[in-house]
Amino acid sequence: MAFQVCINVLIAFMWMFLGESYTISGFVTGYIVGIVLLFLLRRFLKGPFYLRRVYKILVLALIFIKELLLSNLEITKLVYARRLDINPGIFTLETELESDWEITLLASLITLTPGTVTIAVSPNKKELYIHAMDIVDMKEAVHSIKDSFEKHIMEVTR
């Protein structure tokens, strides 16, 4: 992926210098030309086309923003409720993630989402211990984290 990005930036600079337009629009035009060239020549390059991973990173960011907004609404409802009726709890999330970077990203996304905090990671790095401010069904909480964050982190990193 890094090789393809470097080639694409090099093509963008060449386009900008050959056209003698040292502007942002000249660079962007060259970058788009580079994307098209790399896409056409992708069978000669190792690995998948790098914009596929960029797209998956954007999808993960959008999912995080969606979860962030939804959890903010839920926490706001709990805070402004007349009677505080919450069920705090700690649950275990068994993860399929392998690298430290993936586990750290998952723990950070969980902690940044209001109402949940990653407390610890097991020594074998296969379980995360998570505290939730209001948890009705632990299996549903585990399922929602695995379907949203964990699945998309694996798509980005693998």
Side-chain angles (χ1 to χ4, degrees), residues 4 8 24 26 29 32 43 51 60-61 67-68 71-72 74 81 92 94-95 105 112 120-121 126 129 138 144 155:
Q4 291 180 16
N8 201 3
I24 297 292
T29 303
I32 292 170
R43 65 182 171 149
L51 279 185
L60 178 63
E67 291 294 327
L68 184 68
S71 62
N72 270 316
E74 289 298 317
T92 303
E94 292 185 19
T95 182
L105 181 60
L112 288 171
V121 179
K126 290 295 177 190
Y129 300 102
M138 288 188 191
S144 72
E155 287 179 359

Side-chain angles (χ1 to χ4, degrees), residues 54-71:
V54 171
Y55 171 74
K56 290 178 182 181
I57 290 170
L58 289 174
V59 168
L60 178 63
L62 290 174
I63 287 172
F64 172 67
I65 290 169
K66 179 191 92 164
E67 291 294 327
L68 184 68
L69 292 173
L70 291 175
S71 62

